[in-house]
Amino acid sequence: MFGQNLEVQLSSARTEDTTVVWKSFHDSITLIVLSSEEGTSELRLERLLQMVFGAMVLLVGLEELTNIRNVERLKKELRASYRLIDSFLGDSELIGDLTQCVDCVVPPEGSLLQEALSGFAEAAGTAFGSLVVSGRVVAATESWWRLGTPEAVLLPWLVGSLPPQAARDYPVYLPHGSPTVPHRLLTLTLLPGLELCLLCGPRPPLSQLDPQLLDRWWQPVLDPLRACVPLGPRALPAGFPLHMDILGLLLLHLELKRCLFTVEPSADQEPSPEHRRRLLRAFYTLVTASHFPPEPGSPEEKVEDAAQRSQVPRACYLVSGPEEPGTGWRLVALQLGPRRLLLLSAQSPTHALRGLATHTLHALTPLL
Protein backbone atom coordinates (compact mmCIF):
# COMPACT_ATOMS: atom_id res chain seq x y z
CA MET A 1 0.00 0.00 0.00
CA PHE A 2 2.90 2.32 0.75
CA GLY A 3 4.34 1.58 -2.70
CA GLN A 4 1.00 2.15 -4.42
CA ASN A 5 0.83 5.70 -3.07
CA LEU A 6 4.19 6.36 -4.73
CA GLU A 7 3.11 4.63 -7.98
CA VAL A 8 5.45 1.72 -7.30
CA GLN A 9 4.12 -1.77 -7.92
CA LEU A 10 5.44 -4.33 -5.42
CA SER A 11 4.36 -7.89 -6.13
CA SER A 12 6.45 -10.04 -3.78
CA ALA A 13 8.86 -10.04 -0.86
CA ARG A 14 11.14 -12.52 0.89
CA THR A 15 12.27 -13.00 4.46
CA GLU A 16 14.96 -15.48 5.54
CA ASP A 17 12.59 -18.44 5.32
CA THR A 18 9.33 -17.17 3.76
CA THR A 19 8.17 -15.93 0.37
CA VAL A 20 5.21 -13.53 0.29
CA VAL A 21 3.31 -12.86 -2.95
CA TRP A 22 0.20 -10.74 -3.36
CA LYS A 23 -2.02 -9.69 -6.19
CA SER A 24 -4.98 -7.34 -6.59
CA PHE A 25 -7.89 -8.39 -8.76
CA HIS A 26 -10.25 -5.84 -10.37
CA ASP A 27 -9.18 -3.18 -7.82
CA SER A 28 -11.42 -4.94 -5.34
CA ILE A 29 -9.94 -8.11 -3.86
CA THR A 30 -6.31 -8.51 -2.78
CA LEU A 31 -5.01 -12.01 -2.17
CA ILE A 32 -1.82 -12.66 -0.20
CA VAL A 33 -0.01 -16.00 -0.02
CA LEU A 34 2.89 -16.89 2.29
CA SER A 35 5.01 -20.00 1.82
CA SER A 36 7.89 -21.28 3.91
CA GLU A 37 8.47 -24.35 1.70
CA GLU A 38 12.11 -24.61 0.69
CA GLY A 39 12.70 -23.42 -2.86
CA THR A 40 9.21 -22.03 -3.39
CA SER A 41 9.12 -19.90 -6.52
CA GLU A 42 7.16 -16.72 -7.11
CA LEU A 43 5.82 -18.18 -10.37
CA ARG A 44 4.16 -21.01 -8.45
CA LEU A 45 2.64 -18.65 -5.87
CA GLU A 46 1.40 -16.20 -8.53
CA ARG A 47 -0.37 -19.02 -10.35
CA LEU A 48 -1.80 -20.25 -7.07
CA LEU A 49 -3.34 -16.80 -6.47
CA GLN A 50 -4.84 -16.81 -9.99
CA MET A 51 -6.41 -20.22 -9.27
CA VAL A 52 -7.75 -19.08 -5.89
CA PHE A 53 -9.39 -16.00 -7.40
CA GLY A 54 -10.73 -18.17 -10.23
CA ALA A 55 -12.27 -20.52 -7.63
CA MET A 56 -13.91 -17.56 -5.88
CA VAL A 57 -15.42 -16.30 -9.16
CA LEU A 58 -16.47 -19.85 -10.13
CA LEU A 59 -18.62 -20.27 -7.04
CA VAL A 60 -19.64 -16.70 -6.09
CA GLY A 61 -19.55 -14.72 -9.36
CA LEU A 62 -17.52 -11.67 -10.32
CA GLU A 63 -20.27 -9.17 -9.52
CA GLU A 64 -20.26 -10.15 -5.83
CA LEU A 65 -16.46 -9.75 -5.67
CA THR A 66 -16.16 -6.40 -7.48
CA ASN A 67 -19.27 -4.67 -6.17
CA ILE A 68 -19.19 -5.59 -2.49
CA ARG A 69 -22.27 -4.33 -0.70
CA ASN A 70 -22.08 -6.44 2.46
CA VAL A 71 -18.70 -7.83 3.56
CA GLU A 72 -20.18 -10.26 6.11
CA ARG A 73 -22.52 -11.73 3.50
CA LEU A 74 -19.63 -12.12 1.05
CA LYS A 75 -17.60 -13.96 3.71
CA LYS A 76 -20.46 -16.43 4.16
CA GLU A 77 -20.86 -16.95 0.41
CA LEU A 78 -17.11 -17.52 -0.02
CA ARG A 79 -17.27 -20.50 2.33
CA ALA A 80 -18.55 -22.48 -0.67
CA SER A 81 -15.08 -22.11 -2.25
CA TYR A 82 -13.03 -23.18 0.81
CA ARG A 83 -12.90 -26.89 -0.04
CA LEU A 84 -11.72 -26.16 -3.58
CA ILE A 85 -9.10 -23.63 -2.38
CA ASP A 86 -7.87 -26.07 0.29
CA SER A 87 -7.30 -28.65 -2.44
CA PHE A 88 -4.86 -26.23 -4.15
CA LEU A 89 -2.93 -25.78 -0.90
CA GLY A 90 -2.59 -29.51 -0.16
CA ASP A 91 -0.32 -32.08 -1.79
CA SER A 92 -2.55 -32.73 -4.80
CA GLU A 93 -2.05 -35.54 -7.31
CA LEU A 94 -3.02 -33.04 -10.05
CA ILE A 95 -0.79 -30.36 -11.57
CA GLY A 96 -3.21 -28.13 -13.53
CA ASP A 97 -3.06 -25.49 -10.78
CA LEU A 98 0.60 -24.94 -11.69
CA THR A 99 0.66 -25.65 -15.44
CA GLN A 100 -2.73 -23.98 -16.18
CA CYS A 101 -3.41 -26.98 -18.44
CA VAL A 102 -6.22 -29.51 -17.98
CA ASP A 103 -5.15 -32.75 -16.25
CA CYS A 104 -6.12 -35.62 -18.58
CA VAL A 105 -5.95 -39.40 -18.73
CA VAL A 106 -5.76 -41.56 -21.87
CA PRO A 107 -8.51 -44.21 -21.90
CA PRO A 108 -7.91 -47.50 -23.77
CA GLU A 109 -11.02 -47.05 -25.98
CA GLY A 110 -11.30 -43.28 -26.20
CA SER A 111 -13.23 -43.13 -29.49
CA LEU A 112 -16.10 -45.27 -28.12
CA LEU A 113 -16.39 -43.09 -25.02
CA GLN A 114 -16.19 -39.92 -27.13
CA GLU A 115 -19.05 -41.14 -29.32
CA ALA A 116 -21.24 -42.05 -26.33
CA LEU A 117 -20.50 -38.73 -24.62
CA SER A 118 -21.33 -36.64 -27.71
CA GLY A 119 -24.57 -38.57 -28.24
CA PHE A 120 -25.61 -38.30 -24.61
CA ALA A 121 -24.85 -34.56 -24.43
CA GLU A 122 -26.89 -33.96 -27.57
CA ALA A 123 -29.80 -36.01 -26.16
CA ALA A 124 -29.60 -33.96 -22.94
CA GLY A 125 -29.68 -30.70 -24.91
CA THR A 126 -26.20 -29.32 -24.20
CA ALA A 127 -22.96 -29.01 -26.18
CA PHE A 128 -20.76 -29.14 -23.04
CA GLY A 129 -20.03 -32.58 -21.61
CA SER A 130 -17.08 -34.44 -20.11
CA LEU A 131 -16.14 -37.63 -18.29
CA VAL A 132 -14.00 -37.04 -15.20
CA VAL A 133 -12.07 -39.57 -13.10
CA SER A 134 -10.34 -38.35 -9.91
CA GLY A 135 -10.37 -34.72 -11.17
CA ARG A 136 -8.89 -35.66 -14.57
CA VAL A 137 -10.69 -35.46 -17.91
CA VAL A 138 -11.12 -38.79 -19.72
CA ALA A 139 -13.13 -37.47 -22.69
CA ALA A 140 -14.93 -34.22 -23.52
CA THR A 141 -17.07 -32.69 -26.24
CA GLU A 142 -15.53 -30.15 -28.61
CA SER A 143 -17.35 -27.28 -26.88
CA TRP A 144 -16.06 -28.38 -23.46
CA TRP A 145 -12.49 -28.39 -24.78
CA ARG A 146 -13.01 -24.85 -26.03
CA LEU A 147 -13.74 -23.55 -22.50
CA GLY A 148 -11.26 -20.82 -21.56
CA THR A 149 -8.70 -20.69 -18.76
CA PRO A 150 -9.21 -21.03 -15.81
CA GLU A 151 -12.63 -22.76 -15.94
CA ALA A 152 -11.31 -25.60 -18.12
CA VAL A 153 -8.94 -26.48 -15.24
CA LEU A 154 -11.26 -25.52 -12.37
CA LEU A 155 -14.40 -27.50 -13.32
CA PRO A 156 -12.87 -31.02 -13.28
CA TRP A 157 -10.80 -30.01 -10.23
CA LEU A 158 -14.02 -28.92 -8.47
CA VAL A 159 -15.72 -32.24 -9.31
CA GLY A 160 -12.70 -34.15 -7.98
CA SER A 161 -12.67 -32.13 -4.74
CA LEU A 162 -16.36 -32.67 -3.84
CA PRO A 163 -17.52 -35.60 -1.67
CA PRO A 164 -19.01 -38.47 -3.73
CA GLN A 165 -22.67 -38.07 -4.70
CA ALA A 166 -24.91 -39.95 -7.13
CA ALA A 167 -26.02 -36.68 -8.79
CA ARG A 168 -25.48 -32.93 -8.37
CA ASP A 169 -27.01 -29.75 -9.76
CA TYR A 170 -24.37 -27.12 -8.96
CA PRO A 171 -24.51 -23.42 -9.89
CA VAL A 172 -21.19 -22.17 -11.33
CA TYR A 173 -19.92 -19.01 -13.00
CA LEU A 174 -17.28 -19.26 -15.73
CA PRO A 175 -14.45 -16.86 -14.77
CA HIS A 176 -13.47 -16.34 -18.42
CA GLY A 177 -16.64 -17.07 -20.38
CA SER A 178 -19.50 -15.98 -18.12
CA PRO A 179 -18.28 -14.39 -14.86
CA THR A 180 -21.58 -12.68 -13.98
CA VAL A 181 -24.27 -15.08 -15.26
CA PRO A 182 -24.39 -18.51 -13.58
CA HIS A 183 -24.58 -21.82 -15.44
CA ARG A 184 -25.51 -25.21 -14.03
CA LEU A 185 -22.96 -27.98 -13.59
CA LEU A 186 -24.81 -31.31 -13.60
CA THR A 187 -22.84 -34.37 -12.46
CA LEU A 188 -23.91 -38.02 -12.52
CA THR A 189 -21.82 -40.84 -11.06
CA LEU A 190 -21.58 -43.61 -13.68
CA LEU A 191 -19.17 -45.76 -11.63
CA PRO A 192 -17.48 -45.08 -8.27
CA GLY A 193 -14.85 -42.41 -9.02
CA LEU A 194 -16.07 -41.79 -12.60
CA GLU A 195 -18.45 -38.88 -13.16
CA LEU A 196 -20.34 -37.54 -16.15
CA CYS A 197 -20.40 -33.72 -16.18
CA LEU A 198 -22.70 -31.46 -18.19
CA LEU A 199 -22.60 -27.67 -18.32
CA CYS A 200 -25.94 -26.15 -19.23
CA GLY A 201 -28.43 -23.30 -18.77
CA PRO A 202 -31.87 -23.53 -17.14
CA ARG A 203 -32.61 -26.77 -19.03
CA PRO A 204 -32.54 -29.74 -18.78
CA PRO A 205 -33.79 -30.38 -15.24
CA LEU A 206 -31.73 -33.03 -13.46
CA SER A 207 -34.83 -35.26 -13.31
CA GLN A 208 -34.85 -35.44 -17.13
CA LEU A 209 -31.55 -37.37 -17.08
CA ASP A 210 -33.36 -40.55 -16.06
CA PRO A 211 -31.90 -44.07 -15.79
CA GLN A 212 -33.35 -45.09 -19.19
CA LEU A 213 -31.46 -42.30 -20.96
CA LEU A 214 -28.26 -43.19 -19.09
CA ASP A 215 -28.61 -46.91 -19.86
CA ARG A 216 -29.24 -46.24 -23.53
CA TRP A 217 -25.92 -44.43 -24.01
CA TRP A 218 -23.64 -45.89 -21.35
CA GLN A 219 -24.65 -49.56 -20.94
CA PRO A 220 -23.03 -50.52 -24.30
CA VAL A 221 -19.69 -49.00 -23.21
CA LEU A 222 -19.68 -50.31 -19.63
CA ASP A 223 -16.39 -52.24 -20.04
CA PRO A 224 -14.47 -49.23 -21.48
CA LEU A 225 -15.90 -47.15 -18.61
CA ARG A 226 -14.68 -49.68 -16.05
CA ALA A 227 -11.21 -49.56 -17.61
CA CYS A 228 -11.11 -45.79 -16.90
CA VAL A 229 -11.60 -46.02 -13.13
CA PRO A 230 -8.04 -47.13 -12.21
CA LEU A 231 -6.54 -44.66 -14.70
CA GLY A 232 -6.63 -41.65 -12.31
CA PRO A 233 -3.07 -41.44 -10.94
CA ARG A 234 -1.67 -43.61 -13.76
CA ALA A 235 -2.89 -41.34 -16.61
CA LEU A 236 -1.60 -43.79 -19.26
CA PRO A 237 -3.33 -47.01 -20.42
CA ALA A 238 -2.14 -50.26 -18.83
CA GLY A 239 0.73 -51.79 -20.77
CA PHE A 240 1.88 -48.51 -22.35
CA PRO A 241 5.60 -49.07 -23.11
CA LEU A 242 7.58 -46.72 -20.86
CA HIS A 243 11.33 -47.13 -20.33
CA MET A 244 12.05 -48.80 -16.99
CA ASP A 245 14.30 -45.87 -15.93
CA ILE A 246 11.34 -43.43 -15.89
CA LEU A 247 9.91 -42.71 -12.42
CA GLY A 248 7.53 -39.92 -13.40
CA LEU A 249 6.59 -37.70 -16.31
CA LEU A 250 4.71 -34.56 -17.22
CA LEU A 251 3.65 -34.04 -20.84
CA LEU A 252 2.16 -30.67 -21.78
CA HIS A 253 0.45 -29.67 -25.02
CA LEU A 254 0.80 -25.90 -24.78
CA GLU A 255 -1.64 -25.05 -27.59
CA LEU A 256 -4.43 -27.43 -26.50
CA LYS A 257 -3.74 -26.56 -22.81
CA ARG A 258 -3.85 -30.21 -21.75
CA CYS A 259 -1.37 -32.29 -19.77
CA LEU A 260 -0.62 -35.86 -18.69
CA PHE A 261 1.01 -36.25 -15.27
CA THR A 262 1.98 -39.50 -13.58
CA VAL A 263 4.43 -40.69 -10.93
CA GLU A 264 3.19 -44.30 -11.03
CA PRO A 265 5.95 -45.99 -13.13
CA SER A 266 8.19 -48.30 -11.03
CA ALA A 267 6.05 -47.44 -7.99
CA ASP A 268 7.97 -49.91 -5.78
CA GLN A 269 11.20 -47.87 -6.08
CA GLU A 270 12.32 -44.79 -4.16
CA PRO A 271 11.41 -41.93 -4.04
CA SER A 272 7.79 -42.01 -2.85
CA PRO A 273 5.01 -40.76 -5.18
CA GLU A 274 4.67 -37.58 -3.06
CA HIS A 275 8.42 -36.86 -3.38
CA ARG A 276 8.31 -37.53 -7.14
CA ARG A 277 5.42 -35.07 -7.55
CA ARG A 278 7.34 -32.42 -5.59
CA LEU A 279 10.46 -32.95 -7.73
CA LEU A 280 8.54 -32.64 -11.01
CA ARG A 281 6.53 -29.62 -9.83
CA ALA A 282 9.73 -27.86 -8.70
CA PHE A 283 11.48 -28.71 -11.99
CA TYR A 284 8.51 -27.48 -14.05
CA THR A 285 8.62 -24.19 -12.15
CA LEU A 286 12.38 -23.87 -12.71
CA VAL A 287 12.32 -24.53 -16.46
CA THR A 288 9.23 -22.38 -17.02
CA ALA A 289 10.59 -19.42 -15.07
CA SER A 290 14.22 -19.66 -16.23
CA HIS A 291 14.70 -21.59 -19.46
CA PHE A 292 11.60 -22.01 -21.61
CA PRO A 293 9.41 -19.04 -22.54
CA PRO A 294 6.06 -18.52 -20.79
CA GLU A 295 3.19 -20.47 -22.37
CA PRO A 296 1.45 -18.47 -25.14
CA GLY A 297 -1.20 -16.17 -23.74
CA SER A 298 -0.09 -16.52 -20.10
CA PRO A 299 0.10 -13.40 -17.92
CA GLU A 300 3.89 -13.84 -17.63
CA GLU A 301 4.38 -13.48 -21.40
CA LYS A 302 5.82 -10.12 -22.45
CA VAL A 303 6.28 -8.64 -25.90
CA GLU A 304 10.04 -9.10 -25.82
CA ASP A 305 9.56 -12.75 -24.82
CA ALA A 306 7.42 -13.38 -27.88
CA ALA A 307 10.07 -11.70 -30.08
CA GLN A 308 12.88 -13.89 -28.70
CA ARG A 309 11.20 -17.24 -29.35
CA SER A 310 13.78 -18.06 -32.02
CA GLN A 311 16.44 -18.32 -29.28
CA VAL A 312 14.51 -20.76 -27.10
CA PRO A 313 16.44 -23.70 -25.62
CA ARG A 314 15.09 -27.08 -26.69
CA ALA A 315 16.24 -29.13 -23.71
CA CYS A 316 17.70 -28.81 -20.25
CA TYR A 317 18.46 -31.20 -17.43
CA LEU A 318 19.16 -31.15 -13.72
CA VAL A 319 21.17 -33.67 -11.68
CA SER A 320 20.47 -33.89 -7.97
CA GLY A 321 23.07 -35.79 -5.96
CA PRO A 322 26.11 -37.76 -7.24
CA GLU A 323 26.62 -38.29 -10.98
CA GLU A 324 26.86 -42.12 -10.80
CA PRO A 325 23.78 -43.89 -12.20
CA GLY A 326 21.56 -45.28 -9.46
CA THR A 327 22.32 -42.40 -7.07
CA GLY A 328 20.39 -39.13 -6.81
CA TRP A 329 17.76 -38.06 -9.34
CA ARG A 330 17.93 -36.80 -12.90
CA LEU A 331 15.33 -34.50 -14.40
CA VAL A 332 15.21 -33.61 -18.09
CA ALA A 333 12.90 -31.26 -20.02
CA LEU A 334 12.48 -31.32 -23.78
CA GLN A 335 10.41 -28.97 -25.95
CA LEU A 336 9.37 -29.96 -29.46
CA GLY A 337 6.78 -27.81 -31.23
CA PRO A 338 3.77 -27.31 -28.95
CA ARG A 339 4.77 -30.20 -26.66
CA ARG A 340 6.95 -30.06 -23.58
CA LEU A 341 8.01 -33.23 -21.75
CA LEU A 342 9.53 -33.42 -18.26
CA LEU A 343 10.96 -36.73 -17.05
CA LEU A 344 12.22 -37.96 -13.68
CA SER A 345 14.79 -40.77 -13.74
CA ALA A 346 17.15 -42.35 -11.23
CA GLN A 347 19.22 -44.79 -13.28
CA SER A 348 19.93 -43.07 -16.61
CA PRO A 349 23.44 -41.64 -17.06
CA THR A 350 23.41 -37.92 -17.81
CA HIS A 351 24.51 -38.32 -21.43
CA ALA A 352 21.51 -40.63 -22.13
CA LEU A 353 18.83 -38.27 -20.78
CA ARG A 354 18.14 -36.42 -24.00
CA GLY A 355 17.79 -39.66 -25.98
CA LEU A 356 15.45 -41.07 -23.33
CA ALA A 357 13.30 -37.91 -23.40
CA THR A 358 13.20 -37.77 -27.22
CA HIS A 359 12.20 -41.43 -27.53
CA THR A 360 9.50 -41.04 -24.84
CA LEU A 361 8.10 -37.87 -26.39
CA HIS A 362 7.76 -39.57 -29.79
CA ALA A 363 5.95 -42.51 -28.13
CA LEU A 364 3.57 -40.18 -26.25
CA THR A 365 2.85 -37.81 -29.16
CA PRO A 366 -0.11 -39.83 -30.57
CA LEU A 367 -1.80 -39.67 -27.13
CA LEU A 368 -1.77 -35.86 -26.70
Side-chain angles (χ1 to χ4, degrees):
M1 288 173 77
F2 175 76
Q4 263 181 334
N5 291 334
L6 301 172
E7 296 185 357
V8 173
Q9 188 182 355
L10 193 59
S11 57
S12 65
R14 285 180 186 268
T15 67
E16 279 181 22
D17 57 359
T18 305
T19 304
V20 187
V21 173
W22 56 91
K23 187 170 175 60
S24 286
F25 295 88
H26 298 273
D27 292 326
S28 175
I29 299 278
T30 299
L31 297 177
I32 304 171
V33 60
L34 295 89
S35 174
S36 53
E37 279 183 33
E38 192 179 343
T40 295
S41 81
E42 289 170 18
L43 176 86
R44 185 191 155 216
L45 296 180
E46 284 165 8
R47 292 192 174 183
L48 172 63
L49 291 183
Q50 289 164 13
M51 288 293 283
V52 169
F53 185 72
M56 292 161 70
V57 176
L58 186 80
L59 297 172
V60 175
L62 189 61
E63 179 68 24
E64 292 291 326
L65 296 168
T66 55
N67 190 9
I68 302 169
R69 298 180 191 86
N70 185 323
V71 173
E72 292 306 314
R73 195 178 118 211
L74 177 62
K75 283 183 188 173
K76 283 181 186 164
E77 289 179 344
L78 282 172
R79 284 179 194 158
S81 63
Y82 285 1
R83 179 188 283 270
L84 180 54
I85 292 169
D86 282 346
S87 70
F88 302 145
L89 302 177
D91 187 19
S92 174
E93 292 183 356
L94 307 176
I95 199 166
D97 60 318
L98 179 62
T99 62
Q100 298 177 326
C101 295
V102 181
D103 283 279
C104 299
V105 299
V106 181
E109 298 184 69
S111 56
L112 284 176
L113 297 176
Q114 191 72 48
E115 207 174 302
L117 177 62
S118 299
F120 181 84
E122 192 176 332
T126 176
F128 297 88
S130 68
L131 287 172
V132 174
V133 61
S134 311
R136 301 164 178 87
V137 175
V138 178
T141 61
E142 280 186 36
S143 295
W144 184 285
W145 283 129
R146 284 200 294 268
L147 287 170
T149 308
E151 51 260 35
V153 175
L154 285 167
L155 287 170
W157 197 302
L158 170 68
V159 172
S161 73
L162 293 170
Q165 267 183 294
R168 300 186 196 90
D169 190 339
Y170 214 83
V172 292
Y173 297 82
L174 304 180
H176 176 76
S178 180
T180 55
V181 179
H183 285 61
R184 292 163 62 227
L185 177 65
L186 306 183
T187 71
L188 297 156
T189 299
L190 298 180
L191 292 168
L194 179 66
E195 299 193 63
L196 169 64
C197 305
L198 300 173
L199 195 61
C200 51
R203 300 189 60 78
L206 191 56
S207 56
Q208 190 177 311
L209 307 178
D210 53 32
Q212 288 86 356
L213 184 64
L214 284 167
D215 284 350
R216 180 181 148 206
W217 289 101
W218 298 107
Q219 195 66 40
V221 291
L222 196 53
D223 286 337
L225 284 174
R226 285 198 182 109
C228 293
V229 175
L231 275 180
R234 199 167 70 213
L236 300 169
F240 184 82
L242 272 184
H243 195 284
M244 58 189 292
D245 286 352
I246 295 171
L247 301 178
L249 68 84
L250 168 62
L251 173 65
L252 302 147
H253 195 298
L254 301 174
E255 288 175 4
L256 297 178
K257 301 294 245 178
R258 301 178 203 171
C259 66
L260 296 173
F261 181 47
T262 180
V263 291
E264 291 288 300
S266 309
D268 51 336
Q269 295 181 30
E270 285 293 318
S272 67
E274 294 77 18
H275 190 189
R276 294 181 191 189
R277 277 194 290 272
R278 281 197 294 273
L279 286 167
L280 278 166
R281 286 178 76 99
F283 187 51
Y284 169 83
T285 306
L286 172 73
V287 299
T288 303
S290 308
H291 301 307
F292 295 140
E295 289 81 2
S298 72
E300 296 95 10
E301 185 180 38
K302 299 182 183 70
V303 177
E304 58 267 27
D305 293 337
Q308 290 173 0
R309 289 256 175 86
S310 56
Q311 302 162 25
V312 174
R314 293 189 188 162
C316 59
Y317 69 91
L318 183 146
V319 176
S320 168
E323 276 274 6
E324 296 79 35
T327 57
W329 326 117
R330 284 137 187 73
L331 291 138
V332 59
L334 181 70
Q335 180 133 344
L336 206 59
R339 292 178 180 85
R340 182 181 300 171
L341 175 68
L342 281 69
L343 288 183
L344 169 65
S345 166
Q347 302 295 330
S348 290
T350 306
H351 62 81
L353 287 174
R354 185 165 185 168
L356 176 66
T358 304
H359 177 78
T360 307
L361 182 55
H362 286 312
L364 290 168
T365 294
L367 304 184
L368 187 65

